[in-house]
Amino acid sequence: MGLTTHLGSRVLSLLNLSLFSLFFLVHSDSSSIDATVMLDLKQSLNNASSSLGWTDPDPCNWQYVNCSYDRRVTRIQIGNRNLTGFLPQNLGFLTALKSLNLSCNNLSGPLPSLDGLSSLQDLSLSNNSFSYIPADFFFNMTSLESLYLDNNPFSRWLLTDSIQAALNLRIFSANACNVTWIIPYNFGSHHRRLRILHLAFNDLQGGLPDSFMGSSIQSLKLNGQQSIYKLNGSIDVIQNMTQLTEIYLHSNNFMGTLPDISRLTRLKTFSVRDNNISGQVPASFVNLSSLKVVSLANNLLQGPTPKFNSNVTVDMNNGSNSFCLSDPGVACDPLVNTLLSIAESVGYPMVFAENWKGNDPCNAWFGLYCQNGNITAINFSNLHLTGTISANFSSITSLQILILANNNLAGSIPNDLTTLPNLIQVNVSNNQLSGTIPSFKSDVIVDTDGNPNVKKDSVPPLETYKSGSRYSIGVYVVLVIGCVCVFLFVGIMIYYLYWRKKKHSGDFHVIEAEHMVISIHVIRNATNNFGQENILGRGGFGTVYKGRLYDGTMIAVKRMESGVVSESGWDQFKTEIVVLSKVRHRHLVSLIGYCLDRNERLLVYEYMPQGTLSRHLFRWKEEGLKPLEWLKRLTIAVDVARGVEYLHGLADQSFIHRDLKPSNILLGDDMHAKVGDFGFVRLAPNGKSSVLTKLAGTFGYLAPEYAVTGKVTIKVDVFSFGVILMQLITGRKAVIELETEQDEFIGIVTWFHTIRMQKNTFHMAIDPTIDLDEEVLASINTVAELASQCCANKPSHRPDMSHTVNVLSGLVQHWKPSTSHCDEVFRSFGDVKSKDDSYIFPNERPQFTHITKNLDE
Ligand SMILES: *[C@@H]1O[C@H](CO)[C@@H](O)[C@H](O)[C@H]1NC(C)=O
Ligand SMILES: *[C@@H]1O[C@H](CO)[C@@H](O)[C@H](O)[C@H]1NC(C)=O
Ligand SMILES: *[C@@H]1O[C@H](CO)[C@@H](O)[C@H](O)[C@H]1NC(C)=O
Ligand SMILES: *[C@@H]1O[C@H](CO)[C@@H](O)[C@H](O)[C@H]1NC(C)=O
Ligand SMILES: *[C@@H]1O[C@H](CO)[C@@H](O)[C@H](O)[C@H]1NC(C)=O
Ligand SMILES: *[C@@H]1O[C@H](CO)[C@@H](O)[C@H](O)[C@H]1NC(C)=O
Ligand SMILES: *[C@@H]1O[C@H](CO)[C@@H](O)[C@H](O)[C@H]1NC(C)=O
Ligand SMILES: *[C@@H]1O[C@H](CO)[C@@H](O)[C@H](O)[C@H]1NC(C)=O
Ligand SMILES: *[C@@H]1O[C@H](CO)[C@@H](O)[C@H](O)[C@H]1NC(C)=O
Ligand SMILES: *[C@@H]1O[C@H](CO)[C@@H](O)[C@H](O)[C@H]1NC(C)=O
Ligand SMILES: *[C@@H]1O[C@H](CO)[C@@H](O)[C@H](O)[C@H]1NC(C)=O
């Protein structure tokens, strides 16, 4: 893994110890190691002997230094002593150190790795001139309770998951020290005791992580991020941060509405000035009796100016919000209230918040047209509105024309609209509305086109199909009968298999697969004695060769590295034989046989001519391939989902793959995919609860709970599958290099999550080789949503594979109206060597989807 070696070499180059001192450190007892380190520290601080009085040969006698009874150094308190100089690289060898305070000096140079300091509880390095904080800084600091890093000119650095190990963390203060990228999505979720989290004046972007919800943070300061995006998104999570006493969110790009803070009964200070918050100030703000300081200035707040108690300090700078009147507590005009309720039903979009000023909607408010002081027309078309159509439009009785076309409005068209006395025209076309069209008066022009789920109930549904189709009722009848037949056939087959399985029940052993043994001579012959020209690829286990059997069948042979057949390699070998001879599915690579011959351990698979998915996703250019089109990617995703679904549940036992990734997904000439490499598969215990295992799998694809605790459930595969979906969308590797000075890396999950929060930039994350049109974009968005669900932090929040199959196959169908339902049942049945490998019906028969779907309903 490139990442580890990269970090490793960095650590080594930083350590930079002379051989002698290394020798000394390795061969001394702990207290003399401490003494050596302390002398190095004294050396590297300028004038330590004079200004600190560190002259005694025994560091335990030095001022500001405390030792334990066994002469280990436990405390160093040299804050605010006008010190200059740097820290020695071996500081991390003080393994008994509990408290280190160096704050308020002018120390400089890079911070050494402190990853040996597993006893350290309090660390304060703030207000110095340190230039660099290493990526592995927090490794092993499991006892850490308070940490101050504020005001240091570090080069950009990331909050990494290594901080998760500090379970007792109470204080994390890192203001103004160049923390970059995002607050990790799970930050704080392990830190039940975290009280203070200060990350103000950094370089952060992205949103507030859900992990803040229900945390015990009392003081949260995130104000003044310097990045272009700043922190953004909604601030809703704070409604559940019931322990908060102060929260500073000012000078960012937060948007959405103010949440209900009635449960924050200890909150004293709330500062959200200089953001893009819209909507009305909830009553909970005015009613919260603990509140002392409120700062709301320079947002896009609407409705009446709130009237706070006189003992509350308010910085509201009224002119810079969009309140209807500047006098606190004075209600808005009823028409303004109506319009605000309409804005509420579409989430108070910025376009209204920015352009509806004052208390008179006829004074050039965006989207409204008036005659003689009455609103006669409303045009909210093409505003990307989401939400529903408010029934309160019906109280604008002067309204004649209502246009809401080309948005993403959902829900039904309110019946109340029919009561508008002056209505002439309603246009709600091209939204996502559903339900029936209310009965407007006959002279009203109603346009509801482009809403797939709106029922035009005047036309009987079968008629529409009939008129649009070249097929007669006779065809439908034949189809129904065909379906019934296939169901019957499948039923009989399932019964047969079940009966057969009962006969063969009992644990499976390698011995049972004896009929799969292939002689070494056959394999040597097929692969031209493992000829170089036949090598398909190499991995940690050994090499994979292409081969051709006597009868012309192409095979792939996995040859374990001879000599180094370790215990775990042998385990993987056995696992693979056991699993593969048990599970057979058209989307799992099938095992043809195996061979054990002295040192040789060989597995023989069906040959997949198009190679791995990673070849087509990441190396297409070098290999002279065409980039994958979106439909192909979708089809591959469905195939993989089906294979893994089968592993998880449809097979008679539940298996967990544990190493899903593009290089383990293989493609046939038809570009249909099969999941391969079952060396890490685990049998899930009955009931599918979690198993504790040694960590297997590949960095970047590991589910967080698995990486942290080693607990594995089928949801570990769902996570990896989510990563694969993200890769299909973005064409990126699982670990992404950020362009910081330290060449930081970040997992694709975190990266994807952040990009998606910035809705306007999401399209930039999409693989540039994908031809984007509206339909493709919609499809990608659905897959992106699914991918995020699959990569949820909590296993229980991730869907089952069957859900992913449903979503993805729905998309493929929608795309190229195709796969008949009957066919589907037949296929998921799991026959490997089906002759008909094409999913897609010929194009001239697209109506089938509709028909069969309809018959099912
Ligand atoms: C160290 O201290 C001496 C006297 O206390 C002073 O003359 C000298 O300038 C100091 N050196 C530094 C680098 O501060
Ligand atoms: C540390 O040593 C100083 C004397 O140098 C002493 O006054 C202080 O109480 C000690 N602190 C602890 C926590 O033992
Ligand atoms: C560190 O030392 C400085 C100066 O003595 C002091 O002001 C500060 O409170 C100390 N920090 C911690 C965390 O104890
Ligand atoms: C640090 O330097 C300032 C000014 O040079 C001086 O006033 C102060 O006493 C010094 N502090 C210590 C702890 O030596
Ligand atoms: C801190 O030290 C640096 C040199 O390492 C110097 O340029 C800077 O002026 C010093 N700052 C203060 C406040 O003494
Ligand atoms: C970190 O901790 C692990 C296990 O607790 C230990 O094996 C490793 O040596 C530690 N690293 C350092 C640098 O002390
Ligand atoms: C550290 O520096 C900041 C900014 O220069 C200052 O506001 C703060 O009071 C300092 N902290 C301490 C403990 O001196
Ligand atoms: C943050 O780090 C970058 C280099 O990584 C540097 O260019 C920039 O000046 C730093 N910013 C601050 C405020 O120290
Ligand atoms: C957050 O608070 C809302 C109500 O304010 C509640 O409905 C929701 O369940 C809470 N969520 C969590 C995770 O506590
Ligand atoms: C402010 O005054 C209100 C009523 O006048 C009272 O309920 C509340 O406790 C006071 N708040 C503070 C923080 O003093
Ligand atoms: C607005 O319309 C109402 C009737 O709908 C009418 O009575 C009123 O005069 C109109 N207002 C103006 C300013 O014309």
Side-chain angles (χ1 to χ4, degrees), residues 210 213-214 236-242 260-263 794:
D210 285 350
M213 239 191 279
D236 279 350
V237 297
I238 69 172
Q239 71 188 351
N240 293 50
M241 300 178 71
T242 53
D260 173 8
I261 56 163
S262 52
R263 294 169 62 214
K794 280 206 181 127

Side-chain angles (χ1 to χ4, degrees), residues 456-475:
K456 304 194 172 181
D457 49 10
S458 50
V459 192
L462 201 66
E463 283 293 316
T464 43
Y465 285 117
K466 203 174 160 190
S467 59
S469 153
R470 291 189 282 112
Y471 293 85
S472 66
I473 290 283
V475 173

Side-chain angles (χ1 to χ4, degrees), residues 308-374:
F308 287 94
N309 241 303
S310 57
N311 56 8
V312 178
T313 308
V314 184
D315 159 19
M316 215 146 43
N317 193 357
N318 298 339
S320 60
N321 274 302
S322 299
F323 294 127
C324 61
L325 295 164
S326 52
D327 293 341
V330 179
C332 305
D333 186 277
L335 188 54
V336 171
N337 286 335
T338 300
L339 288 165
L340 287 177
S341 73
I342 289 168
E344 182 183 13
S345 68
V346 289
Y348 292 109
M350 300 252 278
V351 56
F352 298 155
E354 283 171 337
N355 296 298
W356 289 4
K357 307 259 181 190
N359 204 21
D360 177 9
C362 285
N363 186 6
W365 277 26
F366 176 85
L368 308 180
Y369 303 88
C370 296
Q371 269 172 16
N372 302 325
N374 283 335

Side-chain angles (χ1 to χ4, degrees), residues 425-600:
Q425 186 192 349
V426 177
N427 183 349
V428 294
S429 58
N430 299 321
N431 279 290
Q432 303 295 327
L433 298 165
S434 56
T436 51
I437 305 170
S439 24
F440 287 94
K441 275 178 297 181
S442 59
D443 55 352
V444 178
I445 305 164
V446 182
D447 187 350
T448 63
D449 287 353
N451 288 287
N453 296 318
V454 165
K455 289 201 189 73
K456 304 194 172 181
D457 49 10
S458 50
V459 192
L462 201 66
E463 283 293 316
T464 43
Y465 285 117
K466 203 174 160 190
S467 59
S469 153
R470 291 189 282 112
Y471 293 85
S472 66
I473 290 283
V475 173
Y476 307 150
V477 171
V478 168
L479 261 171
V480 176
I481 293 172
C483 260
V484 169
C485 287
V486 171
F487 272 117
L488 268 179
F489 171 74
V490 167
I492 289 166
M493 283 303 284
I494 287 173
Y495 178 76
Y496 165 74
L497 277 195
Y498 176 71
W499 169 80
R500 212 181 61 160
K501 198 185 83 194
K502 276 187 89 161
K503 265 183 79 178
H504 289 233
S505 63
D507 261 6
F508 195 96
H509 297 294
V510 179
I511 303 94
E512 270 187 56
E514 252 169 14
H515 62 279
M516 298 176 73
V517 171
I518 299 179
S519 121
I520 183 77
H521 303 296
V522 171
I523 298 175
R524 281 193 193 284
N525 200 302
T527 58
N528 192 16
N529 199 15
F530 302 110
Q532 289 287 324
E533 72 283 4
N534 285 330
I535 292 180
L536 290 173
R538 290 177 206 274
F541 49 82
T543 310
V544 180
Y545 297 84
K546 181 166 75 171
R548 182 194 289 270
L549 293 179
Y550 295 116
D551 64 355
T553 313
M554 295 298 293
I555 55 172
V557 179
K558 184 154 124 184
R559 184 192 202 188
M560 304 289 166
E561 209 66 71
S562 61
V564 292
V565 180
S566 61
E567 193 75 11
S568 69
W570 177 228
D571 279 348
Q572 283 173 32
F573 183 76
K574 279 189 301 190
T575 308
E576 193 138 9
I577 297 176
V578 173
V579 172
L580 277 176
S581 41
K582 277 196 123 171
V583 298
R584 292 207 160 230
H585 185 265
R586 68 189 302 264
H587 293 304
L588 301 179
V589 170
S590 55
L591 185 71
I592 294 174
Y594 67 94
C595 169
L596 286 171
D597 189 274
R598 288 188 217 104
N599 273 339
E600 292 283 9

Side-chain angles (χ1 to χ4, degrees), residues 201-213:
F201 305 112
N202 280 301
D203 192 27
L204 293 166
Q205 52 181 296
L208 300 180
D210 285 350
S211 53
F212 282 179
M213 239 191 279

Side-chain angles (χ1 to χ4, degrees), residues 80-136:
N80 202 12
R81 316 282 345 157
N82 288 354
L83 298 170
T84 58
F86 58 94
L87 296 181
Q89 291 298 330
N90 56 9
L91 196 62
F93 286 53
L94 295 175
T95 53
L97 194 63
K98 286 205 169 88
S99 171
L100 174 62
N101 186 347
L102 304 170
S103 65
C104 305
N105 286 297
N106 193 12
L107 301 174
S108 51
L111 287 178
S113 169
L114 298 183
D115 65 2
L117 300 188
S118 54
S119 308
L120 194 65
Q121 293 169 355
D122 301 302
L123 175 60
S124 184
L125 303 170
S126 52
N127 292 40
N128 276 292
S129 297
F130 292 117
S131 58
Y132 174 85
I133 180 164
D136 54 354

Side-chain angles (χ1 to χ4, degrees), residues 220-350:
L220 180 63
K221 295 188 180 175
L222 300 172
N223 49 295
Q225 300 305 322
Q226 321 278 313
S227 64
I228 9 169
Y229 296 119
K230 307 191 173 186
L231 285 170
N232 52 34
S234 144
I235 61 169
D236 279 350
V237 297
I238 69 172
Q239 71 188 351
N240 293 50
M241 300 178 71
T242 53
Q243 305 299 309
L244 277 178
T245 60
E246 57 178 357
I247 177 161
Y248 292 7
L249 301 174
H250 50 266
S251 305
N252 279 300
N253 271 332
F254 288 113
M255 47 192 237
T257 55
L258 291 174
D260 173 8
I261 56 163
S262 52
R263 294 169 62 214
L264 278 56
T265 51
R266 299 167 182 195
L267 189 66
K268 291 199 176 85
T269 305
F270 181 93
S271 176
V272 72
R273 69 178 153 78
D274 300 298
N275 280 288
N276 290 314
I277 307 278
S278 59
Q280 309 193 41
V281 179
S284 57
F285 276 77
V286 178
N287 295 340
L288 195 70
S289 59
S290 57
L291 210 55
K292 283 201 165 123
V293 179
V294 184
S295 178
L296 303 173
N298 292 317
N299 278 289
L300 297 164
L301 292 164
Q302 297 158 282
T305 302
K307 187 170 167 51
F308 287 94
N309 241 303
S310 57
N311 56 8
V312 178
T313 308
V314 184
D315 159 19
M316 215 146 43
N317 193 357
N318 298 339
S320 60
N321 274 302
S322 299
F323 294 127
C324 61
L325 295 164
S326 52
D327 293 341
V330 179
C332 305
D333 186 277
L335 188 54
V336 171
N337 286 335
T338 300
L339 288 165
L340 287 177
S341 73
I342 289 168
E344 182 183 13
S345 68
V346 289
Y348 292 109
M350 300 252 278

